[in-house]
Each structure stands twice: as structure tokens, then as C-alpha cells.
Amino acid sequence: MTIKHESQKIAQNFYTFAVILFLVQIVVGIIAALQFIWPDFFILNFNTIKTLHINALIVWLLTGLMGATYYVIPEESETELWSVPLARLQFWATVVAITAVVLGYIWAGLNPQANKLVFGTLMLNEGRKYIEAPRWADNLIVISVLLFLFNCFMTVLKTKKWTGIQGVLLGGLTFLALMYIPGMFYTKSMVKDQFWWWWVVHLWVEGAWEIIAGALLAFMLMKVIGAKREVLEKWMYIEVGLVMFTGILGTGHHYYWIGTPAYWLWIGGIFSSLEPIPLLVMVWDAFRTTREARAVTNKAGLYYTVAHAIFNFVGAGLWGVIHTLPQVNRWTHGTQITTAHGHLAFYGAYVLLVMSMIYVTLPAIRGVKEFDPSRAFQAFWWMTISMIFIVLTTTGAGMVQTYMERLMGLDYVTVKASYNLWFWIVRAIFGVGFLIGVLIFVVDYFKLGKEPVRVIKAAPERA
Amino acid sequence: MSNKGARNLFIVGSLFFFAIFLALSFDTIGKLDKRAPEITEDVNAGKMVWHKYDCIGCHTIFGTGSYFAPDMTKVSERRPKEYLKQFMMDPKSVKPNAAMPKLGISSEEADHLIAFFDWISKVDTNGWPPKPILATAAGVNSRELSAGQKVYQSLGCSNCHTISGIGGTAGPELTHVGNKRDRAWLIGHFKNPDDYVPHSAMPKVKAPDADIEQLAEYMLTLK
């Protein structure tokens, strides 16, 4: 496994930053889990910890996807990246901007009065979930993403080899960049605020990101198994097509109860119920292709790729569809069932996606012929089993909450502090289990290709 | 289907569904202002306070947010304003075991937030949150409610107080209140809580004397 173009190595900068932020995300996640049991547990309040938890997630996934794209584009275009210095500049600009934003969150968390209103925007934290980053940071992020896209498109234009994979990948990334804009202006109405906010959040994770996932799935199956591009690209178009046909109007399942007209109950209910279909096609696609596999050298890469397809369907698809109908959602909306869905969806659809891209491309970047996948497997099972229990405990908590608070009329605080306490304790324990998996992965990431391959000696013959 | 056909279907289909989505969004945006009261300066200032303290980092509003603290959609209907203001400015002074920290919300900011929550509670949300089935079912098992129980329900006391597990936790639990208080204390306290509990966040019960007496009778049965 070696790279064909020297400039593909830039991917590693992004991967490293992503892996470090992943670790940060899980550590603050455990603090947040403990705050469900002891709200005063840490110097920073839950809102700041949670902001760090989900922002670290989004940023590490995005930088991971950027790195992956910088790897894919030269490979598909069969040429060097248009400008490596520009990619490097864009990388460091991103690191500096993100660090400044994080320090701002912590500052605002320690002293909310420092979060001042200047020219109509809050300077440290905009107080809008996922897109808390202040306006000045939004602008920096937009510049960074535009530089990134410019660099990629210029590379493609060098050889004009518009392969299906890179076309869909760059299309998804452009859609992603465009859908950041609806979250960048202030509205006096909280209803309009949430209306536009869902354009960003939903059309990212159930639109643009799934398109990127479809393209990268095809790329990985091609690289790891050597499957035929023709067939892979055709199914990729069908998958991402179905993602868009169901997902765009599926946005309606967020417009049931926020003050928007009632016709969204129908539109959202029908289209979002169909959203698992493309994800199921991806699973079938991965299985069909894998069956053809003869000699696979990158076992870890294959393992993560298939796992990504499966858990994308289970987390984003199944755990979403169980509460997407308005008749059900009326009772479950805003409960821990949403938390459970959020965790399994992000893990299956995007955490495993970026990790599989790392395992598929990193050996080539480091020039490794063969590597021992045992740590990759260990990390996978620690993380996956822990995540399943995190999801089951929060689903259980959500069912108890739906029944006791929504149906019986018990107080939110009573249900959370008494009846669901056991779930919080078990969830925190499995949070530590997940951290163990991440630590194994981090060690594997930094050591991969840098230690001699263990030669398995034949067992000595018995006398 | 050829690759080119699949690609074209993806592109044209996506644009088609996006066009429908844009048209529906345009229609929705035009209807939103009619589904909510007018936004005053105070409401807008309150929204900014909501953002400044990153309230959504713990709470939810319209059911969207962080699931760590109660939903705020109907809070201004379910809690007296005096209580809300005192709680926002110093949560533990009203409710010693409150999980919410003292964030430094000023008196003016609290008033703005209340105006904001008032606006939120009047938005047409297609009936969300639904009323709990069991708590609203009066006379379950053909059991008649006593006059005092009816007063208790009509005044919305259970928004803040709990009896046998049902109700809010903003005020003290009342399951065994009959053991602790006598008739005179209860009636006097209903008429002016501050005289009996210094700095009480409970509003005066504004009801005819007959109702207040019935309510006290009901309280005395809770043992």
C-alpha cells in the first residue's frame, strides 16, 4: 500500500487533528454523563461541557472528511493536489480558529457576562445548539471551507477526470458549505430561528453528509476489495439519489411542533419514514461487494467499512424511524429517545466513516505493506459494545420519561433525578468503556506503520 | 439502468425535491407570523438573553435543545411569574435542591426572559406538548372529585406541587401536608404566603373565600 501522489500526505495533518479532538470529545462526554448524576460535578456547567462535546464531534468529523477528500481527489484525478501550501495554510487556519472558538466557549462558561453583544451578535457563544460558534468564527469557517473547495476543484480541473466518486464527493461538500449559510443570520422570531436552524442541522446530517458517506463508501469498497468502479458508481448514484429524494422533504419531521403549519405533519411523516431505505441499500451494497472479496490485505479497513454501513442503517435509519411518525413523536419529542438516536446515528454514520477512511488510507500514506489489525479490532469492539449500551440506557430512560412525564404527568425533574438515575449510572460506566476503545484507537493511529510487524512464527513441533 | 442514467436521475431528482422544499418553505415563512403573537422589543430582548446564557445548552424549547433540564415552551403558563423571576436570578434561594446554577441573570434580563417565554407559550405548535393523559383524567374509576380537589385542579396547583407522585417539584410536596399544618395556617398561607414563609415564591391564591376553605379541607385530608 503506497500513495500515488506525494500531496495526498496532507490528509494526515487533518486526521491527526481529528483524532485528538475525538479524544477530547469523549473525555468531556464522560463529564457530561456524570453531570446527569451530579449536576455540580465540574467547574464548567453542563451547557458548556455539552457545547464542547458536540462541537468537538462536528469539527473532528469535518476535518476528518476534509483530510479524506484531500486523499481521494488526487487519486481520482490522477494528479498532484493543486496547491499543497494552500492546503497547509487552510489546515493551520482551521486549527487556530477552532482553538479560539473553544477558548471562547470556556470563557463564556466561566463568566457568562463576558459573552457580550457587539453589533447585534454575541461575541463568544451564540447560544444555538451545534452552531454556537460566534459570527466572526462563522466567517473564518466559511473562508476555510471555500479555500478547501477551491483547492479541490482546481485539482480536478487540472486533468478534468470527472469520476463519479469525486463528482458526488465534491457535490456533497459544496451542498454542505451552502447549507451552513442559513444558520448565519439572526431572526427575532424563535420559530424562524428554529426553522432555519434545521436547514443547517438536518440538511447536513441527513443530506450533504450522507452524500459524502455514499461517495466515500464506494471509494473504500473499490480500494479495499478492488471492486469494479462501474458497478460501485451506479449503486452510489442510486443511494445518494434516494438520500436526497427522502431526506430533503424529510426535514419536515422537525417542523411538527415548532410553530410551523400542520401540513408538515404529513410531508415530514411520509418522507422521513422512507429515509432508512437508502441506508439499507448501502448495507446491501457493502455485503454484495464484500462477497466478491478474494485476498484482502487491509482487514481493518474492510471491517470498519462494513461496520459503518451497518451502523449507519441501525443508528441513523432504525433509531430515527421509530419516533419519526407524528403520532409517536407527539409523545416522544424532546425526550431522551432523541439523545439515543443522536448518539447511535453519529457513531454509525460518521464516526465509523471517518475511522474507516483513516484505516483505508493511512497505511498507504505511511507506506505500510501490511499491518497488524488486532488493535483496530479491539478498539472497534470496546467502542461498539459500549455505544450499544449507551444507546440502550438512554432509550430506556427515554421510554420511562415518555411514559411518566408525558403520559402520567410527573414532573420532568422527578423523572430525571429519581426514576432514571440508574440509567445515568450505567450510561456513565459504558462511557468509560467507550473511552478505553478510543484510547486503543489513538495509540493505534500514532503507532500504525511505525513498529515492526510481528512475525507469527510457526509453533514448534512437538517431540 | 446505465451509470449516466443513474447520475442524471440523482441530479434531476435532487433538484426537483429541493424545488418543492423551497416552495413549501416560502409558503411556511409567509404563514409563521400569523401563528404567533407580535414580537415586541421586550420579547426580542428576552430571546437575546436566552442566547447569551446558552439556555438551550441544558433546556429544550419547542422540544428542541439539550434534554438536560425541563422544556420551556409552556413554562410561563405553568409557573407564576414571581416564582420564575426569583428562580432565574437565584435558583437555590427558591428551591434548595435546584440543579440550575446561579448564572448572574439581572432583574431586567429576567423580566425580558419572562416576556419571551410568554410569547413562546402563545405560539401555535399544533398542540404540542400534549396534556398528560392520566393527570388530566378526572374522576378515574368513576370516583367523584371532592370540592377541594376540583379547586386544586382548577387553580393549577399541581403545576408546582406534588401529591402522591403526580405534579411539579417547584414547590413543596403536599402528600402528607395534612399532618404538618392546621386549618388556620393553611387558609392564612393561601391568602398571603409571605406572612407565613418569608420570601416565599408562591403567589397569593386569588379565589373566593369558600374555595379557599374547600382547598384547606382537602389539604387536611392529605395524611
Side-chain angles (χ1 to χ4, degrees):
Chain A
M1 287 176 257
T2 48
I3 43 171
K4 296 183 184 118
H5 308 284
E6 191 61 24
S7 52
Q8 287 176 297
K9 278 190 179 165
I10 191 75
Q12 202 177 169
N13 293 25
F14 290 86
Y15 289 163
T16 305
F17 187 53
V19 167
I20 291 166
L21 277 182
F22 185 19
L23 191 57
V24 172
Q25 187 217 339
I26 302 312
V27 171
V28 290
I30 291 172
I31 297 173
L34 291 172
Q35 286 179 328
F36 266 79
I37 306 164
W38 302 288
D40 302 327
F41 168 69
F42 196 66
I43 180 166
L44 290 165
N45 294 325
F46 178 83
N47 60 345
T48 308
I49 290 297
K50 197 217 63 147
T51 301
L52 293 173
H53 180 61
I54 61 175
N55 277 252
L57 167 76
I58 300 295
V59 172
W60 87 256
L61 292 175
L62 278 178
T63 44
L65 291 175
M66 278 184 184
T69 307
Y70 276 136
Y71 183 94
V72 173
I73 297 295
E75 182 119 345
E76 291 283 286
S77 288
E78 296 179 15
T79 181
E80 294 290 345
L81 201 63
W82 184 71
S83 168
V84 175
L86 182 63
R88 197 161 286 138
L89 171 81
Q90 187 244 326
F91 170 74
W92 284 109
T94 307
V95 174
V96 171
I98 296 304
T99 311
V101 171
V102 167
L103 291 176
Y105 290 158
I106 294 173
W107 189 15
L110 293 171
N111 175 21
Q113 302 307 329
N115 193 15
K116 285 200 166 38
L117 197 64
V118 181
F119 297 120
T121 75
L122 292 160
M123 288 312 283
L124 301 176
N125 182 333
E126 279 190 357
R128 298 174 75 199
K129 193 183 170 194
Y130 287 118
I131 48 173
E132 289 93 344
R135 194 66 44 83
W136 57 266
D138 286 343
N139 293 330
L140 290 176
I141 292 165
V142 168
I143 294 171
S144 165
V145 172
L146 286 179
L147 288 178
F148 161 75
L149 283 175
F150 177 71
N151 207 352
C152 292
F153 276 110
M154 290 307 280
T155 310
V156 179
L157 286 177
K158 271 166 75 180
T159 57
K160 297 201 176 62
K161 284 191 196 312
W162 281 102
T163 69
I165 287 176
Q166 68 177 350
V168 170
L169 179 59
L170 289 178
L173 286 161
T174 309
F175 185 37
L176 183 155
L178 285 175
M179 285 306 114
Y180 192 64
I181 298 167
M184 281 180 62
F185 55 88
Y186 179 79
T187 49
K188 285 185 175 183
S189 158
M190 194 64 190
V191 177
K192 288 178 190 165
D193 187 305
Q194 292 207 355
F195 181 85
W196 294 115
W197 182 80
W198 280 117
W199 273 51
V200 186
V201 177
H202 177 93
L203 291 175
W204 266 28
V205 294
E206 285 162 70
W209 290 39
E210 287 287 359
I211 293 180
I212 295 166
L216 292 179
L217 178 67
F219 179 81
M220 291 189 293
L221 290 173
M222 191 172 71
K223 286 292 138 189
V224 177
I225 300 170
K228 274 196 192 133
R229 176 188 289 275
E230 283 261 305
V231 186
L232 282 173
E233 287 192 341
K234 186 165 101 183
W235 283 104
M236 171 189 72
Y237 285 129
I238 294 170
E239 287 153 12
V240 295
L242 289 172
V243 164
M244 295 300 266
F245 305 166
T246 58
I248 292 175
L249 291 177
T251 316
H253 67 175
H254 301 296
Y255 295 158
Y256 295 161
W257 325 116
I258 64 164
T260 33
Y263 56 71
W264 287 108
L265 298 173
W266 283 94
I267 299 165
I270 291 167
F271 282 89
S272 68
S273 299
L274 301 173
E275 279 187 58
I277 294 172
L279 311 183
L280 190 61
V281 178
M282 289 185 194
V283 177
W284 175 79
D285 195 15
F287 276 22
R288 174 185 57 82
T289 317
T290 312
R291 240 188 357 235
E292 297 164 6
R294 296 285 178 270
V296 174
T297 40
N298 188 347
K299 291 197 176 65
L302 177 66
Y303 207 77
Y304 274 82
T305 306
V306 176
H308 151 70
I310 295 171
F311 281 99
N312 189 6
F313 170 66
V314 177
L318 290 187
W319 242 258
V321 90
I322 53 170
H323 57 134
T324 201
L325 285 177
Q327 295 87 330
V328 178
N329 195 260
R330 187 173 142 83
W331 300 103
T332 60
H333 178 58
T335 64
Q336 294 295 327
I337 292 188
T338 316
T339 316
H341 164 53
H343 277 81
L344 196 57
F346 266 115
Y347 176 68
Y350 303 118
V351 170
L352 286 176
L353 174 69
V354 173
M355 289 184 72
S356 42
M357 270 309 285
I358 289 177
Y359 275 116
V360 169
T361 62
L362 195 65
I365 292 173
R366 298 227 174 119
V368 186
K369 274 206 188 67
E370 225 176 307
F371 67 96
D372 180 2
S374 55
R375 264 198 304 256
F377 295 151
Q378 278 173 33
F380 175 81
W381 285 112
W382 272 102
M383 286 192 302
T384 301
I385 292 173
S386 305
M387 181 50 79
I388 286 171
F389 278 95
I390 289 169
V391 169
L392 290 180
T393 48
T394 36
T395 305
M399 288 162 73
V400 169
Q401 188 189 359
T402 302
Y403 185 76
M404 300 193 101
E405 186 196 340
R406 294 288 161 76
L407 265 65
M408 288 180 67
L410 266 72
D411 192 63
Y412 172 93
V413 175
T414 315
V415 178
K416 180 189 166 213
S418 318
Y419 298 101
N420 273 338
L421 184 62
W422 172 243
F423 285 120
W424 308 143
I425 295 169
V426 179
R427 194 250 306 257
I429 292 169
F430 282 99
V432 176
F434 196 89
L435 177 66
I436 293 171
V438 176
L439 285 170
I440 297 171
F441 167 65
V442 173
V443 169
D444 200 36
Y445 175 81
F446 285 106
K447 282 198 167 177
L448 196 145
K450 290 179 179 167
E451 53 190 354
V453 180
R454 263 185 297 154
V455 182
I456 303 158
K457 284 178 189 155
E461 271 180 52
R462 283 192 194 146
Chain B
M1 192 167 25
S2 70
N3 271 24
K4 216 172 169 190
R7 187 194 67 191
N8 292 343
L9 183 67
F10 158 56
I11 294 171
V12 175
S14 301
L15 291 174
F16 171 73
F17 281 102
F18 205 83
I20 297 179
F21 183 60
L22 273 178
L24 287 169
S25 295
F26 186 77
D27 180 72
T28 296
I29 290 290
K31 288 189 168 131
L32 292 184
D33 287 338
K34 288 174 215 124
R35 296 172 60 88
E38 195 196 339
I39 300 168
T40 62
E41 278 311 303
D42 280 358
V43 171
N44 185 42
K47 181 171 183 274
M48 208 37 113
V49 177
W50 170 263
H51 290 309
K52 174 185 168 187
Y53 291 95
D54 189 22
C55 304
I56 207 158
C58 294
H59 291 277
T60 53
I61 196 157
F62 296 141
T64 308
S66 301
Y67 323 108
F68 184 78
D71 186 75
M72 293 288 109
T73 312
K74 298 288 177 195
V75 71
S76 82
E77 288 177 4
R78 289 180 186 172
R79 298 283 185 271
K81 302 226 166 24
E82 301 88 334
Y83 172 89
L84 275 181
K85 183 165 181 177
Q86 221 174 314
F87 189 90
M88 285 170 187
M89 291 171 68
D90 189 359
K92 290 188 174 64
S93 76
V94 194
K95 193 178 164 191
N97 61 346
M100 180 163 150
K102 190 175 176 178
L103 294 168
I105 295 174
S106 71
S107 168
E108 197 192 3
E109 286 177 326
D111 288 336
H112 288 154
L113 259 182
I114 290 170
F116 171 65
F117 288 142
D118 236 359
W119 182 87
I120 289 283
S121 73
K122 295 189 176 83
V123 172
D124 178 357
T125 54
N126 296 330
W128 195 88
K131 291 233 157 45
I133 294 172
L134 297 178
T136 47
V140 178
N141 296 336
S142 46
R143 191 161 45 83
E144 274 294 309
L145 293 183
S146 72
Q149 279 175 317
K150 283 179 185 159
V151 176
Y152 185 83
Q153 281 203 348
S154 67
L155 291 173
C157 304
S158 70
N159 284 333
C160 297
H161 297 280
T162 299
I163 296 174
S164 305
I166 303 276
T169 55
E173 182 174 341
L174 301 177
T175 312
H176 303 294
V177 70
N179 288 335
K180 251 166 72 184
R181 307 293 184 199
D182 59 32
R183 197 180 147 81
W185 190 97
L186 285 166
I187 292 177
H189 176 256
F190 288 149
K191 289 183 174 170
N192 196 2
D194 239 6
D195 288 352
Y196 292 77
V197 182
H199 310 296
S200 171
M202 175 160 151
K204 291 174 186 170
V205 178
K206 294 189 185 86
D209 279 355
D211 283 2
I212 286 184
E213 277 168 29
Q214 290 293 354
L215 191 59
E217 287 301 328
Y218 173 45
M219 293 295 114
L220 291 171
T221 64
L222 299 171
K223 286 185 177 173

